[in-house]
Amino acid sequence: MDKLAAEYFYLVAIAAIGAIQAAAAYNGLNGISFFRQKVFNYLFALLTVGATLARLFTWNQRNPVGIIEGAQQFSFFMLALVVAIAFTLAVSSLLRHSALQGNHPQHNGLEALREITFFQALWRRYIHKQ
């Protein structure tokens, strides 16, 4: 069961990361995008979401049914979403830090992620207090 639970967790997390990248590209949220050009975010999303959905849809052909119960599945799903969000925020902040460093956001909240990374927004909001 541990192997199946880990596989389910990783598949959901990878699919969620891809979906977040597609949403970031569509909405112009450069601060949480992995790539500078939207087309690369869309390709990344297509590859990650497509591959993981193919694995999830063939789950019953490869694995026994009923091993992961509904409550466990929900817990792993929610944990995978939290990990995917944290991973996206950390990696995008590391990858895009230098490219978006000199920007001064015109908006607050999620709109600030169009111009700066998540950690830059936190820094400006709580540490630097402009």
Side-chain angles (χ1 to χ4, degrees):
M1 171 167 139
D2 292 337
K3 180 184 170 208
L4 293 178
E7 180 184 356
Y8 178 78
F9 171 82
Y10 289 123
L11 288 174
V12 171
I14 291 169
I17 291 168
I20 292 169
Q21 288 305 300
Y26 181 77
N27 291 304
L29 299 176
N30 297 321
I32 59 172
S33 297
F34 290 167
F35 307 100
R36 292 177 190 219
Q37 296 178 346
K38 284 185 178 186
V39 69
F40 293 129
N41 277 340
Y42 286 129
L43 285 173
F44 178 82
L46 180 67
L47 292 174
T48 55
V49 173
T52 54
L53 285 180
R55 296 279 296 174
L56 284 170
F57 286 137
T58 60
W59 182 273
N60 291 340
Q61 297 168 356
R62 296 178 291 106
N63 300 312
V65 178
I67 300 297
I68 303 175
E69 307 250 344
Q72 293 169 323
Q73 204 170 14
F74 175 76
S75 300
F76 286 124
F77 185 85
M78 294 306 293
L79 183 62
L81 290 181
V82 169
V83 167
I85 291 169
F87 179 84
T88 299
L89 294 177
V91 170
S92 63
S93 289
L94 290 172
L95 291 175
R96 303 297 307 261
H97 175 74
S98 61
L100 301 175
Q101 190 167 7
N103 292 353
H104 298 286
Q106 303 299 319
H107 305 285
N108 291 324
L110 286 176
E111 291 291 321
L113 295 177
R114 293 182 189 272
E115 301 157 340
I116 59 175
T117 67
F118 178 75
F119 290 126
Q120 288 171 340
L122 284 179
W123 176 263
R124 286 190 168 108
R125 174 81 173 150
Y126 294 110
I127 308 296
H128 194 258
K129 292 196 179 184
Q130 289 183 333

